[in-house]
Amino acid sequence: MKQRAQGAPRRPALFARIITLSRKPRSVIAIYAGSFDPITNGHLDLIQRGSRMFDRLIVSILRNETKEPLFSVEERMEMLREVVDVYPNVGVDSFHGLLVDHAAAHSATVLLRGIRAISDYEYELQMALMNRRLRPEIETVFMMANEAYSFISSRLVKEVFSLGGDITGLVPPAVEARLHRRLSKIKRRGA
Ligand code: PNS
């Protein structure tokens, strides 16, 4: 390590911070976080495109004890692994606590987010600015959702499916099969 010459002034903290912020990492790791309850083709499209942009992309499920999900975190991780298996630079994990801390723990410098419509913008802007305030060295990168999937959300998919609507093409086939199994289990329990 380079020694500071005796009597030489210490590099000001702000200057060191600017250097850190302006240095491009050798390998760009991005985190794509969400609930993924369940993963939709809209998410998958973003993962596919993100895998081409970043050296590594980690799809991270938020462990949120306050929400009652349809699928457990472990089931969601299994589903995600099934569908991202074809992308060698994409990994799957889960986290709790702050997203930026999770990103820093993985040496990630990018948070990948998808924007479907203008209605997503305000929430996304708030999150991006808060995350920047928490850790300015981590950048939020937005990608526009593919127009073919811009109306899809996990919530809508679950609602339509539970009411007997056709969700073919909205979620990966493996996820659709799991939804069928989950719905018949719920129906059996309710019968
Ligand atoms: O796709 P989602 O479900 O809207 O994702 C929201 C998510 C997981 C990205 C967001 O809730 C989050 O980052 N939660 C972790 C807690 C956190 O860091 N909160 C401050 C964000 S500004």
Side-chain angles (χ1 to χ4, degrees):
M1 205 169 58
K2 229 177 170 183
Q3 291 290 311
R4 187 167 57 92
Q6 248 193 350
R10 273 184 190 282
R11 197 181 259 175
L14 178 65
F15 185 59
R17 189 116 182 110
I18 290 169
I19 295 278
T20 312
L21 290 175
S22 59
R23 199 181 290 145
K24 182 189 172 297
R26 231 176 278 154
S27 153
V28 180
I29 303 171
I31 301 280
Y32 179 35
S35 313
F36 305 106
D37 185 37
I39 179 172
T40 67
N41 282 345
H43 295 130
L44 193 56
D45 171 64
L46 220 76
I47 293 170
Q48 185 184 12
R49 287 155 59 202
S51 74
R52 293 199 299 259
M53 281 179 69
F54 307 109
D55 296 294
R56 183 154 177 75
L57 179 65
I58 305 168
V59 186
S60 300
I61 300 176
L62 173 67
R63 288 185 176 271
N64 187 349
E65 274 82 42
T66 62
K67 264 193 187 174
E68 209 180 293
L70 180 63
F71 294 104
S72 70
V73 170
E74 282 62 37
E75 287 172 312
R76 281 178 269 161
M77 288 193 31
E78 246 177 69
M79 280 187 266
L80 274 167
R81 285 204 180 101
E82 276 168 31
V83 294
V84 306
D85 199 39
V86 288
Y87 309 111
N89 63 337
V90 177
V92 174
D93 75 356
S94 67
F95 74 104
H96 48 74
L98 286 176
L99 174 57
V100 285
D101 290 346
H102 171 66
H106 281 281
S107 307
T109 52
V110 171
L111 302 175
L112 176 64
R113 297 292 296 166
I115 294 219
R116 290 165 299 185
I118 195 78
S119 48
D120 282 342
Y121 178 78
E122 212 162 317
Y123 168 61
E124 293 297 336
L125 177 70
Q126 264 188 331
M127 279 208 299
L129 295 181
M130 181 60 85
N131 284 331
R132 184 192 290 166
R133 185 177 184 277
L134 293 168
R135 281 193 189 257
E137 66 278 20
I138 298 179
E139 198 66 57
T140 302
V141 171
F142 292 106
M143 279 167 71
M144 294 303 144
N146 184 322
E147 61 277 16
Y149 306 123
S150 62
F151 62 95
I152 306 178
S153 70
S154 300
R155 186 187 59 79
L156 262 190
V157 164
K158 284 184 284 192
E159 185 176 317
V160 169
F161 185 75
S162 69
L163 297 172
D166 182 15
I167 55 156
T168 312
L170 304 185
V171 294
V175 173
E176 195 177 336
R178 272 191 197 246
L179 276 165
H180 276 288
R181 290 204 292 276
R182 182 52 44 93
L183 192 69
S184 34
K185 199 172 161 187
I186 292 170
K187 274 185 183 159
R188 273 203 308 276
R189 250 195 253 140

